[in-house]
Amino acid sequence: MSHHIVLRVVAKLLIPLILLFALYVQFHGDFGPGGGFQAGVIFAAALILYALVFGLDSARRVISPDLLRVLMASGVLLYGGVGVASLLLGGHFLDYSVLASDPVAGQHLGILLVELGVGITVTSTMLSLFYGFAGRGGDG
Amino acid sequence: MLLGFLVVIALAVVRLRNLFAAVMLTGIYSLHAALLFISLDAVDVAFTEAAVGAGISTVLMLATLGLVGREESRPRGRGWLPLTVVLVTGGALVFATLDMPRFGDPNAPVHTHVAPRYIQDSPNETGVPNMVTSVLASYRGYDTLGETVVILTAGIGVLLLLGGRRRDNDEDEGPR
């Protein structure tokens, strides 16, 4: 795809904006619409756009499939870990109020961490799915 | 109006033999569904629909087309039985909606159970202005954990089926 110059330039302009928007959706999900799932999907969409325009191999150099496998599991572990942490601190499973001295701050922290876990898992799963499909058909 | 568009696009998808055009139309279908969700004030769902339905699943379908070819083979027979089953099921579903409370009815069961408590208490209890987030991540934390695990499981399943290392160890795999 080396000769699609318009496509490459436009993609180069768009990808950072999409990544930034995904981060905004992730961390602003407490205040506006959005959250871990939406942010994860948008983040994955940006990386898939990169893979489509610049080739699967360069995308694999940015994020390797092995790293994705680790990330997939670590997102769920982060979510479950927050639950276990609240258990250890004397609350119920996934009761964030005990995570900080102030229950409201604890809730805030818990929701942030949990959404981050969702985002990581969703991004890496979507990207692995894409790698899996695109890797089968020659050089997708 | 939007619903009418949805029906037209769905019929077009069914009629088309060119799978490439059908995939593109399903993307357009998702965008319309996202617009529909926005007009229902469900912005979070609209986000997801636009990104997953119109974006990623379209790309995945295109990748699949790259594997299976882009023309659909002609179906054998007319399939009256499937048509009957679909019509009966759809009729039953439409019949069931007649019993549902009207859209936005304040006395509907959904609005009288836990929703008032969430609306009154969640800003004080969680300090999170976006109620959708506080319900999803805090009050319904178990559900969201389950959903995340489902996503992980689905990902693992696809990786096991399509895994990236097929070419490396084709030789030492047994007969399939």
Side-chain angles (χ1 to χ4, degrees), chain A residues 21 25 29-34 37-38 41-42 44-45 48 52 66 69 72-73 76 79-80 93-94 96 103-104 107-108 111 114-115 117-118 121-122 125-126 128-130 132-138, chain B residues 43-45 47-48 51-52 56 59-60 63-64 66-67 123-130 133-134 136-138 140-145 148-149 151-152 154-156 158-159 161-167:
Chain A
F21 182 64
V25 170
D30 303 0
F31 305 98
F37 189 83
Q38 288 86 347
V41 171
I42 296 173
I48 288 178
L52 286 178
D66 293 329
R69 258 163 244 168
M72 267 165 77
V76 176
Y79 201 136
F93 187 64
L94 290 176
Y96 315 130
V104 172
Q107 288 282 344
H108 219 109
I111 289 178
V114 157
E115 294 279 359
V118 175
T121 298
V122 169
T125 307
M126 291 293 166
S128 314
L129 291 188
F130 175 72
F133 273 94
R136 293 280 288 208
Chain B
V43 194
D44 295 71
V45 190
F47 246 131
T48 318
V52 178
I56 292 183
V59 172
L60 287 183
T64 317
L67 300 178
N124 304 324
E125 280 182 355
T126 62
V128 169
N130 182 4
T133 302
S134 71
L136 273 184
S138 185
R140 288 279 173 267
Y142 278 42
D143 295 12
T144 310
L145 176 62
T148 318
V149 174
I151 293 172
L152 173 69
I156 293 173
V158 172
L159 281 186
L161 286 174
L162 291 178
R165 310 218 173 151
R166 187 159 160 269
R167 277 181 223 127

Side-chain angles (χ1 to χ4, degrees), chain A residues 37-57:
Chain A
F37 189 83
Q38 288 86 347
V41 171
I42 296 173
F43 207 86
L47 293 173
I48 288 178
L49 177 64
Y50 181 80
L52 286 178
V53 174
F54 296 95
L56 198 57
D57 290 328

Side-chain angles (χ1 to χ4, degrees), chain B residues 19-30:
Chain B
L19 291 178
F20 182 76
V23 168
M24 285 297 138
L25 277 179
T26 51
I28 296 173
Y29 183 92
S30 291

Side-chain angles (χ1 to χ4, degrees), chain A residues 11 15 24-25 28 31 33 68 77 79 86 94 113 125 127 129:
Chain A
I15 288 170
Y24 165 78
V25 170
H28 204 258
F31 305 98
L68 281 182
L77 275 181
Y79 201 136
S86 56
L94 290 176
L113 287 175
T125 307
L127 213 51
L129 291 188

Side-chain angles (χ1 to χ4, degrees), chain B residues 75-130:
Chain B
R76 273 167 283 157
R78 298 300 292 167
W80 290 111
L81 180 66
L83 184 65
T84 322
V85 170
V86 165
L87 283 182
V88 168
T89 316
L93 288 175
V94 171
F95 181 69
T97 58
L98 295 180
D99 270 351
M100 279 170 60
R102 287 185 55 235
F103 176 69
D105 182 3
N107 294 320
V110 231
H111 300 305
T112 54
H113 186 40
V114 286
R117 189 183 166 281
Y118 288 158
I119 292 173
Q120 271 155 19
D121 295 348
S122 85
N124 304 324
E125 280 182 355
T126 62
V128 169
N130 182 4

